[in-house]
Amino acid sequence: MAEEEDRLRAVVALAQAMAAAHTPRESWLAAAQGARRALGGSFAALSVWERHRGRLRVLVNAGERAPDEEEFPEDEAYPVHQFPEIAEFLHERWAGGGEPDAWVETARGPSAGTAAGYCHQRVAALRRRGRSSCVVAPIVLHGLAWGELYVGRSLDAPEFERPDADFATVLASVIAAGIAQFERLEEARRLAYTDALTGLANRRAVDARLDEAIERHRADPEGVVVSLVVCDLNGLKRVNDTRGHAVGDRLLERFGSVLSLCGAMLPGALAARLGGDEFCLLSTGPSADEVVRVADELCVRGAELELGEGVACGVASTGDPIGPVRSARRLFRLADAAQYRAKAARSAKPVVAGREGPDDPVLRLADEPGPAPREGERRRIRGR
């Protein structure tokens, strides 16, 4: 009775730890550590089956690791043909209506009742890494083998037995539920910060990233350059009016691909659609000159789009003489003012804030209170 209560508490603790995770790594580690503690193991690993590469890839190693085992290995993987229980035996059994069961392996070799899951590579690994036994539990997600849970015990501990395998099966189902929940939450987060049409980041994502970048810049203004490229896709209204919104959406998607390609030239840059025909690139780290070169390339490629009429592009960077930038709002206003100047002048090149001396009209426009003209209407330069 006491053992059942302990195991129930262990299951609850595992589920709670996975629910509290904020990143995939935290979720994997919570799963492995929770299972290790619940089964009284010295070591645990979580692996995922990468079908497209025909391998089991280790996500996390927890507990007492051997010298060749990293906590979060970059590329520790094993061909599935070496561990066929996932791809062959168990898969066939599930397809026939059976349930996935865990099994025990020992450094002594196969024992009674374990032949179905026996794997000589794993037995050899037990001996090599100084473990007496392990229990292996398949993890099933959405009716398919997702990967496996592996828990080992040291040489001085009792070997796992059949009841331990049964309990590992329960733990694997709890882990599967935790992974599914985390994936749903990740998808919800992704959708909340993604533009549905282009797949780029959205305005919410830009605001969050820019606030963080400005905080870093304020803490170290000499070492962290923050740059913002704001661009307006010319001709979208004409396309929508003359050829329909489906064609206009195609133009937006194509420009989104161009923006993504150019953004990749700036390490760590965020490419985003702000809304309508407005897009931006947020860069943290690269110099202002590097960002301007990419903005030049963006203008060239934008002008080559078949349906559009080019792009009006404005750049504001803390690496240029634009005065102190203490808020994300100011950098946005500067980039937007530069973009407005580029659009008004029908410039084929980006307009860069702060590069026309102390009387730079972009700086004056950004710092003036009140509305600024844009495309036949009066609208405030971006004020968040």
Side-chain angles (χ1 to χ4, degrees):
M1 191 68 169
E3 182 180 1
E4 289 182 3
E5 291 179 354
D6 288 343
R7 289 193 162 181
L8 178 59
R9 282 194 290 268
V11 168
V12 172
L14 170 58
Q16 290 175 336
M18 291 192 71
H22 293 94
T23 67
R25 282 191 169 190
E26 287 181 6
S27 178
W28 304 335
L29 184 59
Q33 290 283 35
R36 182 185 65 79
R37 295 189 189 101
L39 285 162
S42 60
F43 170 85
L46 194 67
S47 302
V48 63
W49 180 13
E50 294 183 333
R51 285 173 171 79
H52 64 295
R53 303 181 74 172
R55 66 181 195 171
L56 280 171
R57 180 170 64 87
V58 179
L59 300 174
V60 62
N61 292 309
E64 298 175 7
R65 304 193 305 272
D68 62 337
E69 292 171 328
E70 299 177 9
E71 183 175 38
F72 295 106
E74 288 297 321
D75 199 32
E76 182 184 349
Y78 305 94
V80 169
H81 69 78
Q82 292 184 3
F83 304 97
E85 68 279 353
I86 286 288
E88 296 176 8
F89 169 76
L90 288 176
H91 180 76
E92 291 302 318
R93 201 164 88 190
W94 302 337
E99 292 295 324
D101 292 325
W103 64 91
V104 172
E105 291 171 2
T106 73
R108 295 182 288 103
S111 56
T114 65
Y118 171 69
C119 173
H120 72 271
Q121 287 91 348
R122 236 189 285 266
V123 171
L126 284 172
R127 295 169 180 166
R128 186 173 66 253
R129 289 167 174 162
R131 295 176 185 136
S132 66
S133 63
C134 69
V135 59
V136 183
I139 296 172
V140 182
L141 202 61
H142 311 307
L144 294 173
W146 180 91
E148 66 176 35
L149 168 70
Y150 171 105
V151 181
R153 279 181 177 168
S154 58
L155 289 172
D156 59 354
E159 292 180 353
F160 285 116
E161 297 178 348
R162 182 68 245 174
D164 297 308
D166 293 339
F167 185 42
T169 300
V170 174
L171 294 173
S173 66
V174 173
I175 290 171
I179 291 170
Q181 175 67 9
F182 190 84
E183 287 182 350
R184 286 192 292 269
L185 291 173
E186 283 292 288
E187 179 65 8
R189 293 188 191 106
R190 187 189 68 78
L191 292 174
Y193 288 92
T194 303
D195 176 64
L197 177 64
T198 64
L200 300 176
N202 62 13
R203 179 57 192 266
R204 182 183 288 112
V206 174
D207 286 346
R209 180 79 70 85
L210 185 55
D211 283 338
E212 293 173 3
I214 293 299
E215 284 302 311
R216 287 179 58 195
H217 169 74
R218 290 178 63 185
D220 183 11
E222 299 299 321
V224 181
V225 175
V226 182
S227 305
L228 195 62
V229 180
V230 171
C231 41
D232 189 279
L233 185 57
N234 296 328
L236 178 64
K237 185 177 185 303
R238 177 190 59 77
V239 171
N240 284 335
D241 290 345
T242 60
R243 303 187 64 174
H245 285 271
V247 178
D249 285 351
R250 193 158 71 246
L251 174 59
L252 289 168
E253 290 170 342
R254 289 179 178 175
F255 182 71
S257 296
V258 169
L259 185 71
S260 178
L261 185 150
C262 291
M265 301 175 188
L266 295 168
L270 181 71
R273 181 185 177 207
L274 299 174
D277 57 4
E278 288 193 311
F279 294 77
C280 81
L281 277 177
L282 170 58
S283 169
T284 306
S287 69
D289 287 341
E290 291 176 89
V291 173
V292 172
R293 280 195 293 272
V294 168
D296 272 323
E297 180 72 14
L298 181 60
C299 288
V300 170
R301 291 177 180 266
E304 294 173 349
L305 288 174
E306 178 184 351
L307 296 172
E309 299 173 5
V311 58
C313 199
V315 182
S317 174
T318 62
D320 280 323
I322 58 175
V325 176
R326 298 188 176 89
S327 69
R329 180 176 181 272
R330 173 164 170 75
L331 195 66
F332 240 132
R333 286 180 64 91
L334 285 162
D336 212 39
Q339 186 267 323
Y340 168 73
R341 289 276 298 176
K343 196 171 188 72
R346 298 182 180 275
S347 175
K349 297 178 71 64
V351 171
V352 185
R355 294 201 172 185
E356 294 187 36
D359 295 324
D360 189 327
V362 171
L363 302 185
R364 291 202 310 273
L365 181 61
D367 291 336
E368 282 177 359
R374 176 189 284 269
E375 286 288 282
E377 64 180 11
R378 302 289 293 177
R379 160 179 155 179
R380 291 184 180 277
I381 291 290
R382 192 175 313 280
R384 293 188 70 199

